[in-house]
Amino acid sequence: MADFILAKLAASDSKTYEDHGPINVVISGDSVSHGAVNGFFDYHTLYHNRLRLMINKKFHLLPVNMINTAFSGKRANYGDDNFDRDVAAHNPDLVIVCFGLNDINVSLEEYLTPLCSIFDKCLKHSFDCIFMTPNMLNTYVAEDTAEGLKGYAKTTAGYQTSGRMDTYIAAAIEAARERGIPVCDCYAKWKALAESGVDTTMLLANRINHPTQEMHKLFADSLYELIFGAPYDGKPIDDHFNTMYQGN
């Protein structure tokens, strides 16, 4: 997967950069990918910016452009309807697709049909594509849930504890794998945390569906390992190195 991207990233001379240009990654998703936390948007610590910094740290010659086309409150049909404008127009090296948190409110068919259409369009355009499964929903209504959201929190808790969310994500994974599209299964990692006794509702900033800023690291780490076949080496991503022109 992503052999062309790896070849570009591993380039050790400016000629390769001149010939092929930077890495362009398009993000297609909902509020989590948009950057929503709990009443504000954080474009710095969200997962794909963390991923960009991790890649920049390891392969610092080529710029990596994360083109965020995600939008809060949207479902897979939004990504499908706007594919030409939001994805194809950028001729990306890689497309990261993450829908499901809002799609849980509609039928399984209404989720899978546009999601599969996004996958098929990526394949038609020969864009490398990753389907990243979302986080879990809340499993109960937390006391500190915003008063106006407690009704919806009760609904989403029911979706999670009844197995509805499990069913939707399993079907989406199957659809991706049938097409040969790699799956970054972060949902399974959240489930594993829950099964180990972690209160995953407390890992949601709004206590419904938005991961805390810290939990975006799980997404970034998972994507990095899928793309490069090994975990990130842990080097700090917030320090800087000299990029002054060296005369080469």
Side-chain angles (χ1 to χ4, degrees):
M1 204 285 293
D3 289 341
F4 178 59
I5 294 176
L6 290 174
K8 290 175 75 172
L9 288 171
S12 59
D13 57 72
S14 60
K15 183 66 167 62
T16 303
Y17 178 23
E18 292 170 6
D19 290 345
H20 299 293
I23 303 293
N24 291 322
V25 181
V26 168
I27 315 299
S28 181
D30 51 35
S31 55
V32 173
S33 298
H34 189 168
V37 182
N38 187 19
F40 68 96
F41 288 88
D42 174 18
Y43 297 111
H44 180 66
T45 64
L46 82 167
Y47 72 87
H48 46 85
N49 193 49
R50 291 189 64 92
L51 177 63
R52 177 185 64 82
L53 293 172
M54 292 159 73
I55 296 173
N56 287 156
K57 191 69 176 179
K58 188 170 181 65
F59 303 98
H60 60 262
L61 180 64
L62 296 183
V64 177
N65 301 314
M66 293 290 177
I67 304 167
N68 189 1
T69 69
F71 201 80
S72 290
K74 299 303 183 181
R75 299 185 283 109
N77 63 331
Y78 175 84
D80 184 32
D81 291 343
N82 295 290
F83 186 91
D84 289 343
R85 180 196 71 185
D86 291 348
V87 179
H90 300 289
N91 192 31
D93 297 292
L94 175 64
V95 183
I96 298 174
V97 180
C98 184
F99 286 102
L101 294 173
N102 298 315
D103 302 85
I104 195 69
N105 294 295
V106 298
S107 70
L108 181 58
E109 181 180 1
E110 289 175 284
Y111 173 39
L112 290 181
T113 298
L115 183 68
C116 290
S117 179
I118 294 171
F119 295 157
D120 291 340
K121 288 174 181 177
C122 285
L123 294 172
K124 179 181 178 181
H125 285 81
S126 298
F127 300 150
D128 276 343
C129 177
I130 291 173
F131 173 52
M132 188 179 81
T133 57
N135 48 273
M136 288 174 57
L137 298 166
N138 59 306
T139 57
Y140 63 93
V141 180
E143 289 185 6
D144 59 347
T145 305
E147 199 60 40
L149 295 176
K150 286 186 175 178
Y152 185 57
K154 182 177 181 180
T155 298
T156 51
Y159 289 156
Q160 187 64 63
T161 58
S162 69
R164 180 182 174 99
M165 189 68 174
D166 291 355
T167 297
Y168 275 49
I169 299 305
I173 289 172
E174 181 179 2
R177 288 179 172 161
E178 284 177 348
R179 291 164 170 76
I181 291 174
V183 176
C184 182
D185 196 359
C186 294
Y187 185 76
K189 295 185 177 183
W190 279 73
K191 290 284 288 185
L193 288 172
E195 290 165 4
S196 72
V198 173
D199 185 349
T200 51
T201 298
M202 290 295 107
L203 301 179
L204 300 169
N206 64 351
R207 304 296 188 250
I208 296 175
N209 54 14
H210 294 162
T212 61
Q213 292 161 293
E214 294 79 9
M215 286 306 293
H216 275 266
K217 184 176 184 298
L218 180 148
F219 295 125
D221 288 345
S222 300
L223 284 166
Y224 185 96
E225 185 168 359
L226 176 63
I227 293 170
F228 297 107
Y232 182 63
D233 60 17
K235 293 180 181 178
I237 60 175
D238 55 355
D239 61 345
H240 303 281
F241 51 86
N242 182 20
T243 58
M244 183 66 71
Y245 176 64
Q246 301 295 313
N248 296 324

